[in-house]
Amino acid sequence: MGMQLNTSLHVFIIWKNARYMTDNILEDLKKKFELLEVYEVHWSTEFFSDNMSRFYGVNLPPGAFKEDQHDVGPFLLCIVKDKNPKYDYVETPKEKIRVNINIYETKQTYRSWTGGGNNVHSSNTKEETEHDLVLLLGKNLKDIQNDLPELWNGTIKKIDSDLVGAKGWKNTSQLFYVLNATVNYLVLRSFENISDLNTSVSTSDIDILTNQVKQIQFITNGKNILEEKNQEFHKVVIANQDVLLHVGEQYYDPKWANDMLNRKVLSHYGFYIPNDEDHFYSLL
């Protein structure tokens, strides 16, 4: 399916407590957007609250785990195409953010239909759509677009799996595929150690430069085991091995760290690294 330049994909999630309004919501989504796919997602009870906190990450709504807020139970994931996205700024309790207003206001409407609270979620930006889809389905936007139908055929597809990475990562390539779609990072040095992507890199830690330390911890499902100034060590399970990620601005000047991130390049290994000049000076 080719996407026209001005169209954009977004997701709506109807959490269990809003599902009594499913028919009204689906009808309305069909009116306002093109509804492409609807999944019913089953998370295991064991990982449900972990999945939820990783999914929302740093944006976790306050009190999101009150039992009445999200009953542990299957939810609907709807993928829609907005043919005329309209971006503008909105005030949220935390900050002013730039969102696709059509999506944002539709979500507010559904929330009011379902008793307020966070019973309905939407991805308000392209980045958020990318983040939500790769964590829920294990595929980034580009790969999902190839599989989407022109329009939803009315059948709800069932998916029986937790958030990607819930029980650890198959291999490093799977982990970086997800990081590429969700956070701003680069691998600082000794890329050679990670070159055989399917063997564990447990022999040494992976140095990751980022200005999104907390986000990375949620995405990788890492356990924070040590905290220093501007950096943390996260223990992550890859190919059933414990691997240490050394994450943060490390010892670099924050402004330079930022510039390095802006100039990062995708290596042939499938993860981001500094460009040649930055690599040279970072080692110097």
Side-chain angles (χ1 to χ4, degrees):
M1 173 186 108
M3 293 281 289
Q4 295 87 344
L5 279 176
N6 61 339
T7 65
S8 61
L9 285 185
H10 292 269
V11 307
F12 280 87
I13 291 180
I14 309 173
W15 298 112
K16 185 171 174 234
N17 283 355
R19 287 193 59 181
Y20 65 95
M21 286 300 269
T22 295
D23 294 348
N24 305 52
I25 292 175
L26 293 181
E27 272 316 302
D28 194 64
L29 285 175
K30 279 190 222 164
K31 273 198 209 96
K32 291 186 174 142
F33 311 107
E34 290 185 359
L35 182 56
L36 305 183
E37 201 66 283
V38 182
Y39 302 93
E40 181 176 74
V41 183
H42 292 246
W43 282 346
S44 67
T45 320
E46 184 192 352
F47 289 111
F48 197 94
S49 67
D50 274 3
N51 289 336
M52 188 68 91
S53 59
R54 285 182 62 212
F55 181 71
Y56 276 110
V58 292
N59 303 319
L60 189 67
F65 290 120
K66 294 195 189 109
E67 283 310 300
D68 60 334
Q69 178 77 272
H70 291 300
D71 272 348
V72 177
F75 55 88
L76 291 189
L77 166 64
C78 314
I79 302 180
V80 303
K81 190 202 302 187
D82 184 0
K83 288 191 118 160
N84 302 294
K86 215 169 66 217
Y87 275 83
D88 206 349
Y89 287 90
V90 293
E91 289 281 356
T92 71
K94 275 190 176 165
E95 59 199 329
K96 223 179 167 157
I97 48 170
R98 191 166 177 271
V99 299
N100 179 350
I101 289 287
N102 303 340
I103 299 290
Y104 183 82
E105 287 179 348
T106 301
K107 175 190 71 178
Q108 301 302 98
T109 303
Y110 299 163
R111 285 185 168 180
S112 69
W113 289 358
T114 55
N118 306 296
N119 290 331
V120 175
H121 164 82
S122 71
S123 63
N124 304 316
T125 61
K126 180 177 187 265
E127 293 71 34
E128 213 179 335
T129 303
E130 185 91 80
H131 165 281
D132 292 358
L133 287 174
V134 81
L135 284 178
L136 288 164
L137 303 178
K139 283 185 174 178
N140 65 22
L141 215 48
K142 194 162 138 267
D143 291 342
I144 278 173
Q145 274 171 12
N146 300 330
D147 298 340
L148 285 171
E150 285 298 320
L151 275 181
W152 182 46
N153 65 5
T155 312
I156 295 178
K157 293 184 170 167
K158 287 200 178 339
I159 293 186
D160 210 344
S161 67
D162 286 298
L163 221 55
V164 66
K167 301 179 182 74
W169 301 90
K170 283 202 226 41
N171 46 43
T172 36
S173 31
Q174 185 196 29
L175 175 65
F176 284 120
Y177 176 92
V178 171
L179 283 181
N180 291 350
T182 48
V183 287
N184 195 3
Y185 83 94
L186 56 83
V187 175
L188 268 170
R189 52 189 146 264
S190 43
F191 322 131
E192 311 75 58
N193 298 354
I194 314 174
S195 59
D196 187 357
L197 281 172
N198 291 338
T199 60
S200 161
V201 285
S202 56
T203 46
S204 65
D205 51 347
I206 304 178
D207 290 306
I208 290 182
L209 183 77
T210 183
N211 45 19
Q212 297 181 298
V213 177
K214 277 293 165 240
Q215 281 93 327
I216 283 198
Q217 191 187 341
F218 283 117
I219 303 291
T220 60
N221 204 10
K223 234 161 101 192
N224 187 5
I225 54 174
L226 185 68
E227 221 165 304
E228 297 174 14
K229 186 172 158 33
N230 299 341
Q231 53 196 320
E232 293 181 1
F233 285 87
H234 299 161
K235 192 171 80 182
V236 172
V237 177
I238 304 175
N240 295 319
Q241 307 258 8
D242 286 344
V243 177
L244 212 53
L245 302 188
H246 178 204
V247 180
E249 290 177 339
Q250 318 252 1
Y251 307 104
Y252 300 110
D253 170 73
K255 184 177 179 327
W256 185 31
N258 223 27
D259 290 343
M260 275 200 267
L261 287 167
N262 288 336
R263 294 191 286 255
K264 67 185 180 190
V265 289
L266 192 59
S267 74
H268 60 277
Y269 300 131
F271 50 77
Y272 286 100
I273 58 174
N275 70 17
D276 289 343
E277 195 180 347
D278 282 329
H279 186 217
F280 174 80
Y281 284 111
S282 69
L283 294 174
L284 194 69

